[in-house]
Amino acid sequence: GAGVSQTPSNKVTEKGKYVELRCDPISGHTALYWYRQSLGQGPEFLIYFQGTGAADDSGLPNDRFFAVRPEGSVSTLKIQRTERGDSAVYLCASSIQGGNEQFFGPGTRLTVL
Amino acid sequence: GENVEQHPSTLSVQEGDSAVIKCTYSDSASNYFPWYKQELGKRPQLIIDIRSNVGEKKDQRIAVTLNKTAKHFSLHITETQPEDSAVYFCAATRYNTDKLIFGTGTRLQVFP
């Protein structure tokens, strides 16, 4: 079946702009995760959804970052007033309820000029 | 919170040799330890994982060992091939369906 997909694959924006990044998890996966990966680093946890609710948002760096998953499937990561330091690859992953294995999407490379 | 350290940051080996990557974790409650392989510009892909009730797991040329007492776990790749060249990440987590805490990665280069 289809894996985790993310759109767009690349996003270039200007400092101060608003961006939305989308994640389509594997069908039937109830858990969805967002990670951020800076160059040369491991993925860093941002937020985790179980169904429609955010079960853990402790990794969001500040209140400019927000994520939703209104119907328990697709999720959108929203970043307001982007800063150059937000430039990174944003990865999404999903897993079945009670499962450990997380399947990653290809990521969205965000560049803030 | 959990902290995962990974060594070495880079590793170069000759084709056919073995490669070992080591990780340590801080949270004694962690019970699931996956290893991901990430090729340049691609998504992380799970290559092997181990749970805390097991000391070793093998899958063809890849093996993972876990020492819960020392809070160490290691990835072993035997008979390395050029296509094994990638960045490898270890990770740890406490519960089913919980966030992964990743190490900083090891860039493995296998020379023909």
Side-chain angles (χ1 to χ4, degrees):
Chain A
V4 178
S5 61
Q6 293 185 244
T7 54
S9 54
N10 279 284
K11 176 71 178 177
V12 180
T13 191
E14 293 180 342
K15 181 175 177 299
K17 299 288 189 184
Y18 168 82
V19 297
E20 289 190 352
L21 312 179
R22 177 187 165 109
C23 172
D24 266 286
I26 293 172
S27 178
H29 281 195
T30 57
L32 184 148
Y33 310 79
W34 285 98
Y35 294 86
R36 179 168 70 175
Q37 188 173 26
S38 300
L39 194 63
Q41 300 295 316
E44 178 187 0
F45 170 76
L46 295 177
I47 186 170
Y48 149 52
F49 289 89
Q50 184 61 259
T52 60
D56 183 351
D57 65 357
S58 61
L60 294 178
N62 52 59
D63 61 6
R64 296 187 297 105
F65 289 74
F66 190 72
V68 295
R69 195 186 185 199
E71 297 177 359
S73 179
V74 170
S75 176
T76 304
L77 178 65
K78 308 181 181 197
I79 310 174
Q80 299 178 318
R81 305 184 304 280
T82 51
E83 300 178 355
R84 293 194 180 90
D86 299 335
S87 296
V89 175
Y90 288 81
L91 293 164
C92 175
S94 69
S95 70
I96 61 171
Q97 184 166 4
N100 284 121
E101 183 174 355
Q102 295 184 21
F103 296 85
F104 281 83
T108 293
R109 181 175 298 278
L110 175 66
T111 303
V112 182
L113 301 176
Chain B
E2 175 67 282
N3 182 53
V4 177
E5 296 191 355
Q6 183 172 348
H7 300 281
S9 56
T10 61
L11 181 58
S12 296
V13 300
Q14 206 71 36
E15 182 177 1
D17 287 349
S18 296
V20 180
I21 303 170
K22 299 182 179 181
C23 289
T24 60
Y25 60 98
S26 61
D27 187 351
S28 56
S30 289
N31 60 4
Y32 174 68
F33 308 91
W35 286 88
Y36 284 84
K37 176 183 181 182
Q38 189 175 31
E39 297 177 9
L40 191 62
K42 301 286 180 65
R43 73 188 75 194
Q45 294 205 303
L46 181 74
I47 55 171
I48 196 167
D49 56 15
I50 192 167
R51 288 172 170 75
S52 60
N53 58 348
V54 174
E56 182 174 0
K57 183 177 178 181
K58 268 186 150 177
D59 183 4
Q60 300 183 340
R61 297 186 297 109
I62 294 173
V64 57
T65 58
L66 171 65
N67 181 331
K68 282 193 296 181
T69 304
K71 292 188 276 189
H72 289 171
F73 59 114
S74 300
L75 177 71
H76 304 252
I77 307 174
T78 59
E79 300 170 32
T80 53
Q81 301 167 3
E83 50 265 38
D84 294 330
S85 297
V87 179
Y88 291 80
F89 292 99
C90 62
T93 189
R94 297 182 74 185
Y95 307 115
N96 287 353
T97 318
D98 201 356
K99 62 190 178 193
L100 293 173
I101 306 300
F102 283 86
T104 49
T106 296
R107 181 173 299 280
L108 174 65
Q109 289 184 295
V110 181
F111 292 98

